[in-house]
Amino acid sequence: MRHLMSPLDFSVEELEQLLDLASDIEANPQKYAHACAGKKLATLFYEPSTRTRLSHEAAMLNLGGSIMGFSSADSSSAAKGESVSDTIRTISCYADICAMRHPKEGAPMVACQHSSIPVINAGDGGHQHPTQTLTDLMTIRSLKGHLDNMTIGLCGDLKFGRTVHSLIHALVRYPGIRFILISPEELRLPGYIRHDVLDKNEVPYEEVVRLEDALPKLDLLYMTRVQKERFFNEDDYVRMKDFYILDAAKMKLAPEDMYVLHPLPRVNEISTEVDKDPRAAYFKQMQYGVYVRMALILTLLEIEV
């Protein structure tokens, strides 16, 4: 039995197989419409979510399975003090696979150690968000045709952004990847990722503050929001939240084949006027998320179609 805690849980070869499966699901949805008939997915979301929870649920429903779960800690026995380990033991009696989001780093890892069903980490604090990374990889591969030899700009909250952390871990395994890290000083990429991931793998990167300085050099721009829920001080959040706003004027500085991704939700870091730009790929990204989660469910349940 396998779990998904980190993008590194799959080798590059296994990732390619997963993305190939997701692409086949996109092309032939009816082929997979009953693949999970009789199977149940539990979504254990201790933290609010729209896209991640609903895309997991849509994925299982598209495969012919059924869903159950909760959308906040307040609506579960966690409100009564039940531990994650006891919750997952209980859920293992009801479902065949589960997706868990939790505000505390490592909670899904605790769950998988006590689970008798596959556990998908759907985001744990500021740590990892592997299913978003799978979505990002499929989006990049579909738009660019490859996952190597690119300059990727990561912009915004690089300190707390778990989507950024997961994506870096995944992409450093591909040759020719270069990063431009775009953030204010207060939201720089944590030192342990710079040193233990980028430096250790000899991946070139530069850190800049101005988005305008990076845009002409990019093959891909990955925007992120400043996450209010990660700040302890309201004043710090207010000071940082409007630091970057991508608008039509800034997009004129970017190459014609540079795509913009965003894990969403956005607040105001991408102006709605950019939505009309053919390089804006963040809503396509959400659709790819359903296909890749369908492929992940089939892979972890070891179902072949």
Side-chain angles (χ1 to χ4, degrees), residues 24-42:
D24 192 56
I25 290 170
E26 178 188 12
N28 305 288
Q30 284 304 314
K31 176 181 171 184
Y32 298 89
H34 304 288
C36 284
K39 301 292 186 181
K40 294 184 279 293
L41 165 75

Side-chain angles (χ1 to χ4, degrees), residues 44-46 69-82 87:
L44 314 182
F45 276 63
Y46 292 80
F70 53 82
S71 57
S72 73
D74 292 341
S75 59
S76 77
S77 288
K80 303 174 184 177
E82 183 174 61
T87 296

Side-chain angles (χ1 to χ4, degrees), residues 1-288:
M1 181 178 65
R2 294 186 70 173
H3 308 283
L4 179 68
M5 294 293 109
S6 156
L8 302 185
D9 290 345
F10 288 97
S11 67
V12 170
E13 293 74 20
E14 288 172 328
L15 276 175
E16 288 298 312
Q17 292 171 4
L18 186 79
L19 297 179
D20 287 344
L21 176 57
S23 295
D24 192 56
I25 290 170
E26 178 188 12
N28 305 288
Q30 284 304 314
K31 176 181 171 184
Y32 298 89
H34 304 288
C36 284
K39 301 292 186 181
K40 294 184 279 293
L41 165 75
T43 50
L44 314 182
F45 276 63
Y46 292 80
E47 218 179 26
S49 168
T50 300
R51 277 147 296 277
T52 305
R53 181 172 65 87
L54 294 183
S55 62
H56 275 96
E57 293 180 354
M60 189 52 138
L61 292 172
N62 288 350
L63 291 167
S66 54
I67 57 173
M68 62 177 71
F70 53 82
S71 57
S72 73
D74 292 341
S75 59
S76 77
S77 288
K80 303 174 184 177
E82 183 174 61
S83 66
V84 166
S85 57
D86 280 0
T87 296
I88 195 64
R89 286 188 180 103
T90 302
I91 297 301
S92 295
C93 300
Y94 305 149
D96 301 285
I97 186 170
C98 87
M100 173 182 284
R101 166 167 288 189
H102 202 285
K104 291 184 178 179
E105 288 85 351
M109 179 63 75
V110 171
C112 78
Q113 291 169 349
H114 296 88
S115 178
S116 56
I117 61 175
V119 177
I120 298 168
N121 177 4
D124 60 333
H127 186 220
Q128 296 272 9
H129 197 344
T131 64
Q132 181 63 51
T133 300
L134 298 180
T135 298
D136 298 340
L137 295 178
M138 183 178 182
T139 305
I140 296 168
R141 194 178 78 157
S142 297
L143 295 173
K144 288 289 192 181
H146 56 89
L147 288 168
D148 55 3
N149 299 305
M150 277 185 284
T151 298
I152 299 170
L154 304 172
C155 180
D157 182 358
L158 309 188
K159 180 178 181 180
F160 299 110
R162 58 191 170 197
T163 58
V164 166
H165 301 170
S166 284
L167 187 58
I168 289 173
H169 276 92
L171 284 173
V172 297
R173 298 191 286 178
Y174 295 88
I177 292 294
R178 179 174 179 268
F179 291 107
I180 300 182
L181 308 174
I182 311 154
S183 73
E185 180 70 25
E186 295 91 335
L187 296 175
R188 289 178 66 198
L189 191 72
Y192 73 91
I193 296 181
R194 289 200 308 274
H195 304 314
D196 297 347
V197 182
L198 296 176
D199 293 340
K200 185 177 180 180
N201 289 280
E202 299 182 347
V203 175
Y205 66 92
E206 62 178 295
E207 295 181 285
V208 303
V209 174
R210 282 169 41 87
L211 176 57
E212 293 89 337
D213 294 340
L215 280 169
K217 310 174 188 177
L218 301 180
D219 297 299
L220 195 84
L221 173 62
Y222 195 92
M223 292 291 295
T224 66
R225 70 185 171 95
V226 175
Q227 304 174 83
K228 185 176 182 179
E229 63 270 27
R230 307 291 173 218
F231 279 78
F232 296 107
N233 186 315
E234 178 82 12
D235 292 338
D236 288 343
Y237 167 72
V238 170
R239 186 163 46 84
M240 293 284 101
K241 71 182 180 71
D242 295 328
F243 206 94
Y244 297 110
I245 298 177
L246 181 67
D247 56 22
K250 291 188 181 73
M251 286 296 288
K252 291 178 180 177
L253 301 171
E256 292 185 3
D257 60 350
M258 183 207 79
Y259 289 99
V260 181
L261 273 62
H262 191 309
L264 301 181
R266 68 173 161 188
V267 183
N268 57 354
E269 62 277 1
I270 299 179
S271 170
T272 54
E273 66 188 16
V274 176
D275 297 352
K276 297 177 288 187
D277 193 304
R279 295 169 291 179
Y282 29 90
F283 291 114
K284 288 181 183 176
Q285 198 176 346
M286 298 307 105
Q287 185 61 58
Y288 287 132

